[in-house]
């Protein structure tokens, strides 16, 4: 087995777990991305690390995603409100 193939085999379970976590986190924020998946073509790009395809979403889900990101995100190097309360 080539090194790239070995990397792909090793990366898949971790990536799939991350995909499940992302889907659950989005659902917790009221966001549904029906097209969310691992991009199978990216497994063959040479580095063995697949890409996530976020798919398409409607305007309602886009607004929910923006709201969730604004609630939980802060610029790099700053402390979020959530970090201050934990």
């Amino acid at each position: 087995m080539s090194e790239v193939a070995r990397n792909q085999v090793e990366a898949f379970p971790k990536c799939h777990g991350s995909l499940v976590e992302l889907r659950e986190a989005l659902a917790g924020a009221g966001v549904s991305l029906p097209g969310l998946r691992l991009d199978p073509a990216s497994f063959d790009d040479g580095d063995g690390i697949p890409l996530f395809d976020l798919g398409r979403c409607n305007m309602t889900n886009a607004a929910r995603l923006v709201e969730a990101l604004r609630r939980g995100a802060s610029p790099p190097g700053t402390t979020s409100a959530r970090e201050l309360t934990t």
Side-chain angles (χ1 to χ4, degrees), residues 14-15 25 42 45 47-48 50 55 57-58 62 68 82-83 85:
K14 183 177 181 181
C15 290
S42 67
D45 68 1
D47 66 4
C57 69
N58 62 31
R82 185 177 314 171
E83 292 171 328
T85 60

Side-chain angles (χ1 to χ4, degrees), residues 3-7 11 13 22 27 34 40 42 44 46-50 59 81 86:
E3 184 177 343
V4 170
R6 191 171 28 259
N7 288 343
L22 178 57
S42 67
D44 294 328
D47 66 4
I49 301 172
M59 196 163 164
T86 57

Side-chain angles (χ1 to χ4, degrees), residues 1 3-14 43 48:
M1 179 182 288
E3 184 177 343
V4 170
R6 191 171 28 259
N7 288 343
Q8 292 169 344
V9 169
E10 291 173 1
F12 184 81
K14 183 177 181 181
F43 276 92

Side-chain angles (χ1 to χ4, degrees), residues 12-65:
F12 184 81
K14 183 177 181 181
C15 290
H16 185 275
S18 294
L19 180 70
V20 170
E21 288 179 19
L22 178 57
R23 189 180 308 276
E24 290 171 353
L26 288 167
V31 177
S32 172
L33 296 178
L36 180 63
R37 67 188 181 105
L38 290 173
D39 177 15
S42 67
F43 276 92
D44 294 328
D45 68 1
D47 66 4
I49 301 172
L51 299 173
F52 289 82
D53 183 350
L54 302 179
R56 299 167 36 176
C57 69
N58 62 31
M59 196 163 164
T60 301
N61 278 319
R64 288 179 182 157
L65 184 56

